Amino acid sequence: MTDKFPEDVKFLYIAYTPAKADITACGIPIPLDFDKEFRDKTVVIVAIPGAFTPTCTANHIPPFVEKFTALKSAGVDAVIVLSANDPFVQSAFGKALGVTDEAFIFASDPGAEFSKSAGLSLDLPPAFGTRTARYAIIVSNGVVKYVEKDSEGVAGSGVDAVLAAL
Amino acid sequence: MTDKFPEDVKFLYIAYTPAKADITACGIPIPLDFDKEFRDKTVVIVAIPGAFTPTCTANHIPPFVEKFTALKSAGVDAVIVLSANDPFVQSAFGKALGVTDEAFIFASDPGAEFSKSAGLSLDLPPAFGTRTARYAIIVSNGVVKYVEKDSEGVAGSGVDAVLAAL
């Protein structure tokens, strides 16, 4: 991945709203234009192979939720949890983890296109298809400061590694 | 679709267990061999384009949950809610809808392969890919008694239509 974060990256997400807080209340997906939203910000993208799957649900994303305050104190403006699941599933996953902060976003990388373009995708059996690998990226003012992909565990893509890199 | 239900149909699912009742507790996916499990049974397959999407979550699957007793009284041995989402997402969707009955199964049609073979799939934009269409099938002792696909609403694939066809 080059130092400059690509300018045409668009994810899909459903913004959390208290009116649709219940996990069975479905919002409407909208585009998340990374450059437009975060050009002069510091953002952590943490990608997972699947919402509601064991590692992601047990010991990868919850620590990011727990240490979100520490991340913000270290200068992070937003965290984006990314997967190739669709935005309805990602929205439900965020609600299942109890996340209500609008700066902690659960977004879809449609068809894992962005992850594929960055060499950070996984081809899995038909029930899963092409997925985002497990990785973390720190982007600050459009510049990539950190990229780590994990094939096992979360040593490079977990919150402690990200905090250490900030 | 021919009258005889195909014999080699295998879905993937995570069986509900009280030990993993929480939506963030992930079970392990196992195959659901339709012929082996249901050869001499009456089963309703209700397929949806996506777990946690508006129509499916609001007014298609909940009525099946509410009228499950009526379905059983009409001779149904099991209901299978099917989508092309992976089994972890389908398992979470069942928990989100409060389903704990082992005869009410949330399964994955990997890559929508079965639905495609029956002419009952949908090609959607990249965030969704190929999905199962919205349909209901009643299979009794390996024979297809009812097949209805809905492109809008749930007139043919909703629980009332299925109850009327039993």
Side-chain angles (χ1 to χ4, degrees), chain A residues 24 26 52 54 57 86 111 126-127 131, chain B residues 24 26 52 57 86 88 111 126-127 131:
Chain A
T24 60
C26 311
F52 299 108
T57 311
D86 65 64
R131 291 293 176 104
Chain B
T24 59
C26 310
F52 299 108
T57 311
D86 65 63
F88 293 106
R131 292 292 176 102

Side-chain angles (χ1 to χ4, degrees), chain B residues 88-110:
Chain B
F88 293 106
V89 171
Q90 281 291 86
S91 167
F93 188 46
K95 291 175 187 175
L97 294 178
V99 175
T100 57
D101 194 313
E102 61 180 11
F104 202 113
I105 298 163
F106 286 76
S108 174
D109 178 11

Side-chain angles (χ1 to χ4, degrees), chain A residues 12 23-29 50-54 57-58 84-89 92 96-97 108 110-111 113 126-128 131, chain B residues 12 23-29 50-54 57-58 84-89 92 96-97 108 110-111 113 126-128 131:
Chain A
L12 266 180
I23 198 164
T24 60
C26 311
I28 304 298
F52 299 108
T53 56
T57 311
N85 292 110
D86 65 64
F88 293 105
V89 170
L97 293 179
S108 173
E113 288 303 329
F128 302 89
R131 291 293 176 104
Chain B
L12 266 180
I23 197 164
T24 59
C26 310
I28 304 299
F52 299 108
T53 57
T57 311
N85 292 110
D86 65 63
F88 293 106
V89 171
L97 294 178
S108 174
E113 289 302 329
F128 302 89
R131 292 292 176 102

Side-chain angles (χ1 to χ4, degrees), chain B residues 41-98:
Chain B
K41 301 245 170 48
T42 293
V43 179
V44 173
I45 298 173
V46 50
I48 54 173
F52 299 108
T53 57
T55 306
C56 316
T57 311
N59 48 36
H60 194 192
I61 301 308
F64 273 93
V65 180
E66 286 145 28
K67 298 185 178 178
F68 188 37
T69 307
L71 287 163
K72 285 192 279 192
S73 312
V76 170
D77 297 299
V79 168
I80 300 174
V81 175
L82 197 65
S83 88
N85 292 110
D86 65 63
F88 293 106
V89 171
Q90 281 291 86
S91 167
F93 188 46
K95 291 175 187 175
L97 294 178

